[in-house]
Amino acid sequence: CLSSLESHFFFNFTKINSRMIQRIQTLYLFAAAILSALSAFFMPLYSLEGVSYAATAHAESFGGFGACMAIFSGSILLYSNRKRQLLVVRLGMLTSLIILGYIIYLIQGNGAEASWGAAVPFFLVVLSYMASKNIQKDETKVRSLDRLR
């Protein structure tokens, strides 16, 4: 039998998490965080002379994917403050664009062939764009409901 304090904590924790997961932008941000974590360690970015290179081969790309993972994961927790969440998501989008530019620079500079992991920053930008659009929809919905009160 749970004590009243433990049951109160458990009830409030599940109530907060169910509200957070009900929003579709949470799923977009979660997918972006997982995709950036996978690309930081496992996905090859380019191949040069038959050797595949991942993001761990360059500190800049590895740090960029790590920053994207942290930004998108942190923005999930900002669900109660939509304006700040929107700002953080746009920062993640900017970081993804910087990583995309750096990967293009690496591929062009080395004369290498792009691998399928080089497209991951593009997908991160798309996911963050979809999340930001849904955050904006939520914000307008809340403003319209506040106007009706």
Side-chain angles (χ1 to χ4, degrees):
C1 188
L2 293 173
S3 70
S4 64
L5 181 64
E6 290 172 336
S7 64
H8 179 71
F9 173 75
F10 180 73
F11 175 73
N12 284 338
F13 183 73
T14 55
K15 183 178 166 187
I16 289 170
N17 281 339
S18 66
R19 190 173 16 158
M20 180 173 57
I21 293 176
Q22 287 177 354
R23 298 170 55 201
I24 189 70
Q25 60 264 28
T26 303
L27 297 176
Y28 292 144
L29 293 171
F30 183 71
I34 293 297
L35 191 61
S36 61
L38 287 175
S39 62
F41 292 106
F42 301 115
M43 295 183 186
L45 296 179
Y46 64 93
S47 61
L48 182 64
E49 298 173 2
V51 178
S52 293
Y53 292 95
T56 55
H58 302 281
E60 295 85 3
S61 61
F62 183 70
F65 281 121
C68 280
M69 181 189 62
I71 288 170
F72 291 133
S73 298
S75 65
I76 292 172
L77 301 176
L78 296 172
Y79 64 93
S80 61
N81 189 348
R82 280 176 292 281
K83 290 182 182 180
R84 185 171 292 156
Q85 185 181 31
L86 188 61
L87 178 72
V88 171
V89 168
R90 288 181 178 164
L91 178 68
M93 189 184 305
L94 178 66
T95 307
S96 299
L97 286 171
I98 290 170
I99 294 170
L100 182 63
Y102 181 71
I103 291 172
I104 291 171
Y105 170 75
L106 281 176
I107 292 171
Q108 293 289 328
N110 293 333
E113 343 181 318
S115 186
W116 51 276
V120 169
F122 175 74
F123 292 121
L124 293 178
V125 169
V126 169
L127 286 170
S128 60
Y129 176 76
M130 292 184 341
S132 69
K133 282 298 174 188
N134 283 306
I135 293 168
Q136 287 173 345
K137 283 181 187 177
D138 275 359
E139 185 64 27
T140 56
K141 190 184 300 183
V142 167
R143 283 185 187 172
S144 70
L145 288 176
D146 285 344
R147 242 188 331 226
L148 292 175
R149 283 189 214 176

